[in-house]
Amino acid sequence: WFSYKFENLDSSTDEPDITYLELMESDTGRELFKTHLVNELTLENYMFYIVATRWKSQYPGSRYSKNKLEALQRIYDEFIQSGSQFEINVSYDEKDSVKRTIAQASESLDNTLPDTVLDKCILETGTFLRGSCLRFVRTDLYKESFRSTSLAGTGSDGLGAEF
């Protein structure tokens, strides 16, 4: 969904053609979108998406490591576990699947921990973020602030979040 273009959202508007990735590569776009997500009470989706995709890129493949498991456990504790501080809205089946994968990796001797364990959660939160982006480009916040700035000025990692 990164390449989804916000074109022709409403024929009566003059929104520029912009992709989610272009928006997130801009310091201004990223900060304004986060503000929008706070207003929508959905910032946890953005935070999870950033952390989970970083985990996947930092620990590719199925090879087990203690650091990989500990990082996955922190993600589960912060975002996936019911009642967690930044609980994301994903199905019970997905929560249970991640929990079981962590338990199996903790107890297993086969030295595997697939990097795909968070994929469905990432897809579910990505769907929510896409809807938020569609609403964001129609807001006064976007129209008044982001349009008047340049897409230049990306941060060092282009993501603007840390875990």
Side-chain angles (χ1 to χ4, degrees), residues 72 85 103 122 139 155:
L72 179 60
Q85 182 176 5
I122 290 170
T139 65

Side-chain angles (χ1 to χ4, degrees), residues 16-40:
D17 292 345
I18 185 170
T19 65
Y20 175 79
L21 186 56
E22 290 168 336
L23 185 65
M24 292 300 102
E25 286 178 344
S26 161
D27 288 337
T28 302
R30 212 174 25 256
E31 292 307 312
L32 291 174
F33 184 57
K34 284 190 230 178
T35 299
H36 173 74
L37 292 173
V38 168
N39 291 334
E40 283 195 337

